[in-house]
């Protein structure tokens, strides 16, 4: 779709030349014909020099103020540390630019509402980069959920686990760090996107365990959606063992993901094939048995991630920012992610117990 769009090339400025800008945004901007890397902004002159050598941007600036004096980009990509997002998004809107912002959009629901207010006031476009919507894994899950073999889905459990004594800015509360903001903004968005239902109830615990900072590196949250699905999310950076990443359960079966083979193993039954069993009336279990003797006619199916394409996110950006199509990540969905994050903090009492 993106390559078919006959639209003007978007003059694009990237704010921040760190991990995500360097490894993803700038290479994508350069390789997509719909974008031109008009400017980069970073307070570190050595990073600007490095960017000039490697990517030949139109111009390099140490501040956004300097950039807006010289240049009016069509699109501003915000890839700076999270604490700067709100101010940089608002400034871009004030200068008549649209914004593609890395996750999380801001530090809080209040900041997010301020940003949405400004977006409406200035009539600008805004989309947040949520890469976990476009993975093969996400497409495979969508297919499993829509195929219906598992019956009525009641549980989606996702665990992200590793051992990482985090020591960068993301480890500190004062920077808007912590795994709820950092990884939660990925995986909460992914769960809400896959389940397509707003949340109705949240339980959450936050702990700072292995981190060298003061922000949480263990997040345990159970989000109940309006459609009744329980979304059980663990983000654990203090995990000595690997944890099974996905378990999806429905009334007729379940799917587990094998991270080695990248395959989903489904075990399910056809409801029509179950034997008819009458519930026991009496208060003495028959045959002193805990079981009713039935054999479930299990079926199995294997689904591989490799059978699903990855979606090109910058193609989606072009469709929205230049092609006039609806946003792939609507801002209302971003607000819902920020609402869940805010509720998680409230439910956890913001307590960080060691
Ligand atoms: N979507 C993803 O997969 C993903 C992955 C990593 C990070 N992120 C998000 O991207 C943002 C950046 O994270 P990172 O890991 O790339 O950070 P980083 O620490 O690697 O880099 C931050 C860069 O921003 C620069 N910077 C600092 N202050 C700035 C300012 N006021 N204006 C412009 N640049 C400034 C720094 O000099 C540095 O070059 C964060 O919000 C983070 O949550 C998203």
């Amino acid at each position: 779709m993106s390559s078919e769009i006959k639209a003007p090339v978007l003059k694009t400025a990237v704010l921040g030349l760190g991990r995500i800008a360097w490894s993803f945004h700038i290479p994508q901007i350069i390789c997509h014909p719909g974008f031109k890397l008009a400017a980069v902004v970073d307070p570190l002159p050595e990073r600007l020099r490095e960017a000039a050598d490697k990517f030949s941007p139109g111009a390099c600036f140490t501040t956004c103020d300097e950039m807006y004096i010289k240049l009016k980009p069509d699109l501003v990509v915000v890839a700076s540390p999270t604490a700067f997002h709100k101010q940089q998004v608002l400034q871009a809107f004030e200068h008549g630019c649209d914004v593609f912002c890395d996750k999380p959009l801001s530090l809080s629901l209040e900041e997010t509402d301020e940003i949405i207010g400004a977006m409406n006031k200035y009539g600008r476009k805004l989309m947040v980069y949520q890469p976990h919507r476009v993975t093969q894994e996400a497409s495979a899950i969508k297919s499993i959920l829509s195929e219906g073999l598992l019956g009525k889905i009641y549980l989606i459990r996702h665990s992200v686990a590793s051992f990482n004594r985090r020591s960068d800015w993301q480890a500190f509360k004062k920077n808007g760090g912590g795994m709820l903001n950092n990884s939660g903004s990925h995986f909460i968005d992914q769960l809400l996107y896959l389940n397509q239902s707003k949340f109705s109830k949240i339980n959450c615990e936050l702990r700072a365990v292995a981190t060298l900072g003061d922000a949480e590196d263990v997040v345990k949250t159970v989000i109940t959606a309006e459609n009744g699905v329980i979304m059980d999310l663990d983000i654990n950076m203090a995990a000595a063992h690997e944890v099974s990443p996905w378990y999806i359960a429905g009334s007729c079966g379940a799917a587990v993901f094998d991270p080695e083979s990248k395959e989903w193993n489904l075990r399910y039954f056809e409801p029509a094939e179950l034997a008819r069993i009458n519930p026991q009336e009496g208060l003495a279990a028959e045959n002193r048995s805990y079981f009713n003797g039935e054999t479930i006619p299990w079926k199995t199916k294997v689904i591989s991630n490799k059978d699903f394409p990855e979606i090109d996110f910058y193609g989606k950006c072009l469709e929205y920012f230049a092609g006039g199509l609806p946003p792939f990540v609507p801002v209302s969905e971003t607000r819902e992610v920020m609402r869940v994050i805010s509720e998680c903090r409230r439910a956890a009492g913001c307590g960080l117990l060691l």
Side-chain angles (χ1 to χ4, degrees):
M1 177 75 196
S2 56
S3 58
E4 293 159 19
I5 288 178
K6 295 278 177 288
V9 170
L10 296 174
K11 265 193 293 166
T12 304
V14 176
L15 314 186
L17 292 171
R19 290 166 286 201
I20 195 66
W22 202 260
S23 65
F24 176 72
H25 291 291
I26 296 179
Q28 286 291 308
I29 289 165
I30 284 173
C31 80
H32 276 76
F35 300 87
K36 179 179 181 334
L37 185 63
V40 292
V41 178
D42 198 289
L44 299 178
E46 65 273 21
R47 293 210 164 182
L48 293 175
R49 281 194 294 277
E50 235 184 318
D53 287 347
K54 189 167 163 71
F55 300 116
S56 310
C60 297
F61 302 98
T62 49
T63 67
C64 295
D65 290 349
E66 248 183 280
M67 176 186 76
Y68 288 118
I69 290 169
K70 301 256 172 62
L71 187 82
K72 185 188 162 226
D74 301 307
L75 181 67
V76 172
V77 175
V78 177
S80 56
T82 312
F84 299 109
H85 288 191
K86 184 194 91 171
Q87 187 267 327
Q88 292 181 341
V89 174
L90 296 184
Q91 190 181 23
F93 289 160
E94 283 161 17
H95 284 87
C97 307
D98 292 332
V99 176
F100 184 38
C101 186
D102 219 307
K103 53 53 50 182
L105 174 59
S106 70
L107 296 176
S108 66
L109 183 60
E110 290 71 26
E111 283 196 2
T112 294
D113 282 340
E114 215 181 311
I115 289 172
I116 294 172
M119 178 188 98
N120 293 331
K121 174 177 164 194
Y122 290 101
R124 301 302 341 159
K125 293 182 180 180
L126 168 67
M127 188 160 74
V128 172
Y129 177 46
Q130 297 288 179
H132 288 269
R133 290 185 177 214
V134 297
T135 57
Q136 291 178 305
E137 192 165 283
S139 298
I141 296 170
K142 275 191 116 180
S143 164
I144 290 167
L145 296 179
S146 65
E147 201 176 358
L149 295 177
L150 306 183
K152 185 168 167 37
I153 301 296
Y154 66 87
L155 175 71
I156 306 177
R157 198 168 71 208
H158 187 198
S159 289
V160 184
S162 64
F163 195 92
N164 182 357
R165 296 199 307 145
R166 197 92 194 214
S167 59
D168 63 342
W169 63 265
Q170 290 276 24
F172 296 91
K173 288 195 257 187
K174 67 172 193 237
N175 303 323
M179 282 301 126
L180 183 59
N181 273 359
N182 186 19
S183 298
S185 54
H186 279 302
F187 299 116
I188 291 168
D189 177 78
Q190 188 188 43
L191 285 170
L192 294 176
Y193 169 67
L194 292 170
N195 187 44
Q196 288 293 305
S197 175
K198 292 186 165 195
F199 87 88
S200 67
K201 201 168 73 179
I202 284 181
N203 281 302
C204 181
E205 291 289 341
L206 304 175
R207 298 283 189 275
V209 179
T211 176
L212 301 180
D214 61 354
E216 73 281 349
D217 60 353
V218 174
V219 177
K220 167 83 207 166
T221 181
V222 178
I223 304 165
T224 310
E226 284 177 356
N227 67 359
V229 173
I230 303 160
M231 295 176 282
D232 180 347
L233 175 63
D234 276 310
I235 301 166
N236 191 332
M237 297 296 117
H241 279 289
E242 286 186 6
V243 181
S244 174
W246 287 99
Y247 182 75
I248 300 174
S251 55
C252 300
V256 282
F257 183 63
D258 177 350
E260 292 291 316
S261 65
K262 309 246 180 289
E263 287 175 342
W264 296 84
N265 294 300
L266 277 63
R267 191 170 189 235
Y268 63 98
F269 59 81
E270 300 286 354
E273 293 178 5
L274 289 186
R276 195 184 157 86
I277 295 175
N278 293 323
Q280 298 173 26
E281 295 281 338
L283 288 176
E286 281 174 14
N287 302 323
R288 293 196 179 83
S289 172
Y290 292 97
F291 305 100
N292 58 24
E294 83 170 320
T295 305
I296 304 288
W298 291 115
K299 299 179 188 307
T300 58
K301 180 171 179 177
V302 175
I303 291 175
S304 175
N305 276 1
K306 70 175 164 38
D307 295 332
F308 297 87
E310 269 188 33
I311 299 166
D312 167 18
F313 217 113
Y314 263 82
K316 292 285 176 197
C317 283
L318 201 60
E319 288 178 356
Y320 173 52
F321 290 112
L325 293 187
F328 177 58
V329 182
V331 83
S332 57
E333 293 178 14
T334 294
R335 186 181 188 280
E336 185 66 1
V337 173
M338 297 307 296
R339 194 163 77 98
V340 170
I341 288 176
S342 158
E343 279 302 306
C344 283
R345 282 205 194 288
R346 200 189 52 71
C350 281
L352 292 176
L353 307 176
L354 281 169

